[in-house]
Amino acid sequence: MYPWQASAWTQLQQMRERMPHAILFHGPAGTGKADFLETFAQALLCENVRPDGHACGECASCGWFAQHNHPDYRRVRPEALEDEPGESEEGGDGERKSKSAKAPSKEIKIEQIRQLADFMNISTHRQGLRVVVLYPAEALNMPASNALLKTLEEPPPGTVFLLASNSLDRLLPTILSRCRKFALPMPDHAAALAWLKEQGVPDADSWLREQGGAPLAALNASNDGNREDMDALLHFLARPSPDGALRSAEKLAKAELPALVAWTQRWLYDVFSYKLSGTLRYYPRYQKEVAALAGRAGAAGLLRAIKAVNERRAVADHPLSAKLFVEDMLLEYTACTA
């Protein structure tokens, strides 16, 4: 758990006497929801819970949980997130398996939900609860969502589902209606910044602002240590032109498209915010460039650009051509901000 989650943890303990069969934790990405769920799951399975609601860390159940082999616990998440040590290793010599030509799926598939059936239809090993953790819930594809819905409609006794979502509006309303919702808000800037500085992150304030105030996203971005793609995009956004759009698309064709779209969304938010109120949120180091663009771009054009890039967010994971996707986005931005 993280310092900013202490009050949420205290609030959560009030639900333990009458535990709902499904809790949906929701809040911004990069704030530690998955770790919060894992901590709560261990506490639910613990045989000697501490007065503050945390797991004891010493009982047999906690030992199994720490070794990722608790018989009454299952975790469901996309294949792309299954990167823990040992999960993609050969048995025996410990060498990594050769990479498949097919990229790991970013969806939670129906097969993963169906695999829970046997788990939920047998008695628990320690005469306690069985716990299923699933995240991010918006990664459920439609068949998997429908399969999960059937389970939530007729929940097996003694089973608790803990789901996490970065975006409630991407979930089926029927799933939302069958879960108790629990908000895990973004930490305030001061708390997130203090934590990042404790982790030794240089230029922590810039990293934090560029990630929208999400401390774990800021930490991961700083550890990657590569601002090249972001800086190339921001350099173009500050001085848009048709020729610049084509040159930048060539450079950025191999970048992560969802990240490019997110950076552009944040840039446009800053430009529009500066035009209306003279304030910046994400890119204070580009204040001069944002101010110049806000001064000459019309409000209607900025709103069109914001609408266009928001629509691109939905298809950024599966473009027909990455280069053409980036070209089209940057040219459209150029036209809207002219």
Side-chain angles (χ1 to χ4, degrees):
M1 268 183 40
Y2 302 97
W4 55 88
Q5 296 174 333
S7 61
W9 180 263
T10 301
Q11 180 184 352
L12 185 61
Q13 303 316 303
Q14 301 172 8
M15 299 171 59
R16 293 191 64 162
E17 290 186 6
R18 300 185 63 182
M19 181 63 60
H21 71 277
I23 306 176
L24 176 57
F25 297 86
H26 60 95
T31 56
K33 293 189 299 298
D35 293 321
F36 190 90
L37 263 68
E38 300 276 356
T39 300
F40 188 48
Q42 182 177 355
L44 290 177
L45 295 168
C46 177
E47 299 169 7
N48 188 25
V49 180
R50 289 165 22 191
D52 61 2
H54 283 279
C56 70
E58 298 176 354
C59 66
S61 179
C62 286
W64 291 336
F65 195 93
Q67 297 170 20
H68 307 291
N69 60 4
H70 198 295
D72 298 325
Y73 172 73
R74 292 293 185 276
R75 180 177 60 194
V76 181
R77 57 184 183 171
E79 181 184 337
L81 295 181
E82 295 294 345
D83 57 358
E84 289 189 345
E87 291 188 356
S88 60
E89 291 183 355
E90 300 272 1
D93 61 6
E95 293 181 0
R96 296 284 181 183
K97 292 180 180 180
S98 58
K99 292 184 178 180
S100 170
K102 186 177 180 181
S105 174
K106 295 182 179 180
E107 295 183 336
I108 295 175
K109 300 179 179 180
I110 189 171
E111 292 80 7
Q112 294 173 268
I113 304 302
R114 288 174 173 167
Q115 288 170 3
L116 296 174
D118 291 341
F119 167 69
M120 293 185 295
N121 290 329
I122 60 174
S123 300
T124 60
H125 289 70
R126 304 296 286 187
Q127 290 74 52
L129 294 172
R130 64 172 66 85
V131 180
V132 177
V133 162
L134 185 151
Y135 63 84
E138 57 269 22
L140 288 157
N141 62 24
M142 187 56 67
S145 293
N146 291 329
L148 178 64
L149 179 60
K150 292 179 181 178
T151 301
L152 295 179
E153 287 174 338
E154 300 178 4
T159 302
V160 175
F161 285 83
L162 305 178
L163 293 76
S165 173
N166 301 325
S167 180
L168 291 183
D169 60 0
R170 294 175 60 189
L171 302 181
L172 290 178
T174 44
I175 288 182
L176 292 175
S177 67
R178 284 161 178 79
C179 298
R180 176 81 65 84
K181 290 183 279 295
F182 191 97
L184 290 175
M186 181 84 76
D188 64 58
H189 187 81
L193 184 59
W195 181 79
L196 283 173
K197 289 181 177 178
E198 289 176 0
Q199 312 311 308
V201 175
D203 196 16
D205 187 68
S206 291
W207 286 113
L208 184 61
R209 290 182 184 278
E210 288 169 0
Q211 296 302 321
L216 296 187
L219 178 63
N220 291 336
S222 68
N223 286 338
D224 290 343
N226 183 9
R227 264 197 171 119
E228 185 177 345
D229 289 338
M230 178 190 286
D231 286 340
L233 176 66
L234 296 181
H235 180 78
F236 163 78
L237 295 176
R239 303 170 185 83
S241 69
D243 289 344
L246 299 178
R247 290 193 301 270
S248 297
E250 186 76 31
K251 295 178 183 178
L252 297 170
K254 295 184 179 180
E256 292 187 15
L257 298 186
L260 293 180
V261 174
W263 295 335
T264 305
Q265 286 178 306
R266 293 168 186 168
W267 174 269
L268 285 166
Y269 176 93
D270 267 359
V271 175
F272 198 68
S273 175
Y274 198 90
K275 188 172 188 67
L276 295 182
S277 62
T279 59
L280 291 176
R281 178 180 179 184
Y282 297 105
Y283 304 114
R285 62 194 177 105
Y286 282 91
Q287 180 172 353
K288 181 179 178 181
E289 292 85 350
V290 168
L293 185 60
R296 69 172 185 269
L302 289 174
L303 287 174
R304 287 197 306 272
I306 291 170
K307 181 177 183 293
V309 77
N310 288 347
E311 292 172 350
R312 290 187 182 279
R313 189 70 180 263
V315 297
D317 286 320
H318 307 287
L320 295 177
S321 166
K323 182 181 177 182
L324 291 178
F325 179 94
V326 178
E327 279 186 3
D328 195 38
M329 181 176 73
L330 299 187
L331 287 170
E332 192 168 41
Y333 167 85
T334 301
C336 290
T337 56

